[in-house]
Amino acid sequence: MREDLGQALIETAVTLPVMLVLFLGFLAVGVVAEALVDLNTAVYLAAASAAAAPAGQAATARDYATWTFDDTVANFPELQVGGTGIDCTSDPNGFGAGAQVTCVASAELRFDRTLFAIVVPTNPRLSATATAVIPEHRGA
Amino acid sequence: MPIGGAARWTQAAAATRRGQSTVEFAAVVMAFLLALFGAVSAAFHSVQRAMAETAAATGVQVAAGGTPLSPGRPDLAGAVGPTEAVLQPVLWGTRVTVPENWATQPQGQPCAPLQNIPQDTLEVCVWLPPAGAGQTGMVAETVRGHPAYVVPFLAGLLPWSIDVTVETHEVSYQA
């Protein structure tokens, strides 16, 4: 009976950490997916904002994109944007009517501030790209 | 009689083992069902949160576009319908509401704190954030609340909530 109890304890001691790591691992995958959705939404809205600026005003378009991206990402504290934040370019250059705007951004998912650091020792770096077209009717 | 005594002992031991097995089985089944329904519930929550974000992004863009009669002013009321339309397929019994007195406030109104929003309710709020650090003309939308549960008995154990806010710049119309 004592041997049975000892064996059960050892089995539990081995199984429990494995189950915990598996459980946290599954949750971590979910958190990464949600963070990707957050980042994609912020970049998508930023590209749309840049395309909604007065045509031909590159600095204004970039400002709109940056404000939109920064303010949206600020609502998702688990995402930390490093470097220059969002970068938007247009093709052809100059953010004129008919141009295609492409915005790219990356952010770090701060696992080190959460319980997930147990199973994910690094902070994954996520990136997202979005494009929008400045309508032809937006003038000169 | 020694044989009869051994037989009784064996029967008693077998009954104890059966009882133990039943208790162990019940415990394992409970844990298994909890893990299974927890995973299903988490998956549904993940879908609902992603859709809430898409819905908020859709709504805030409609608001940023203004109306034909006043294109320079964000159409805050116009954002609610498109947001609800995107959310509808994943609501599963959740009500969508707007803050009280919202329509009377020209700047819109941020959502109530999460703890003040009842269960099975999502609040949609569209408002104009105060200008700051040289930036003007931003429009914000929040979808916040506690969605209805697909697995009702887990409501107390897994208090899922949704709280997403997105912002965009209003559309600049040119002459």
Side-chain angles (χ1 to χ4, degrees):
Chain A
M1 196 68 184
R2 285 176 70 90
E3 278 174 15
D4 284 353
L5 191 65
Q7 187 183 342
L9 270 175
I10 291 168
E11 282 173 358
T12 308
V14 170
T15 311
L16 220 55
V18 172
M19 293 299 286
L20 192 68
V21 166
L22 269 177
F23 179 69
L24 283 176
F26 286 138
L27 283 183
V29 170
V31 170
V32 170
E34 284 191 354
L36 258 176
V37 171
D38 296 346
L39 187 63
N40 267 311
T41 303
V43 176
Y44 156 73
L45 283 173
S49 281
Q57 297 185 19
T60 307
R62 287 202 175 95
D63 278 349
Y64 282 13
T66 301
W67 298 342
T68 298
F69 179 76
D70 289 350
D71 286 5
T72 300
V73 164
N75 294 302
F76 308 119
E78 74 278 10
L79 283 174
Q80 185 169 307
V81 181
T84 53
I86 192 162
D87 181 35
C88 293
T89 54
S90 82
D91 180 27
N93 211 4
F95 291 83
Q100 179 174 289
V101 178
T102 303
C103 293
V104 182
S106 64
E108 206 174 56
L109 179 55
R110 297 302 302 266
F111 271 149
D112 60 348
R113 293 175 181 170
T114 66
L115 199 62
F116 297 115
I118 299 169
V119 289
V120 187
T122 58
N123 295 331
R125 184 132 206 104
L126 311 173
S127 64
T129 303
T131 59
V133 173
I134 301 172
E136 292 284 356
H137 66 258
R138 289 192 69 78
Chain B
M1 289 315 286
I3 294 170
R8 269 200 301 279
W9 186 85
T10 310
Q11 277 177 350
T16 306
R17 272 201 298 274
R18 267 203 304 278
Q20 186 184 343
S21 298
T22 308
V23 172
E24 282 174 357
F25 180 71
V28 169
V29 164
M30 288 293 286
F32 176 76
L33 284 179
L34 196 64
L36 181 71
F37 286 125
V40 170
S41 177
F44 276 117
H45 172 261
S46 205
V47 169
Q48 284 181 320
R49 188 184 179 280
M51 286 303 275
E53 205 160 324
T54 305
T58 305
V60 81
Q61 282 187 291
V62 171
T67 60
L69 291 177
S70 49
R73 226 178 85 207
D75 179 18
L76 303 185
V80 178
T83 302
E84 198 172 347
V86 175
L87 276 173
Q88 201 67 51
V90 294
L91 284 181
W92 300 306
T94 306
R95 285 180 317 126
V96 175
T97 62
V98 292
E100 237 176 282
N101 308 324
W102 177 68
T104 60
Q105 305 197 23
Q107 299 297 307
Q109 186 182 337
C111 285
L114 196 56
Q115 64 268 22
N116 294 357
I117 299 173
Q119 181 63 39
D120 302 348
T121 305
L122 285 180
E123 201 167 77
V124 174
C125 319
V126 195
W127 82 98
L128 306 179
Q135 69 184 57
T136 53
M138 300 300 287
V139 186
E141 177 167 344
T142 299
V143 176
R144 180 181 292 167
H146 308 277
Y149 281 84
V150 184
V151 191
F153 65 86
L154 284 177
L157 294 173
L158 299 169
W160 298 124
S161 61
I162 288 175
D163 188 359
V164 294
T165 299
V166 297
E167 291 187 32
T168 194
H169 197 281
E170 62 187 50
V171 174
S172 301
Y173 288 97
Q174 291 167 289

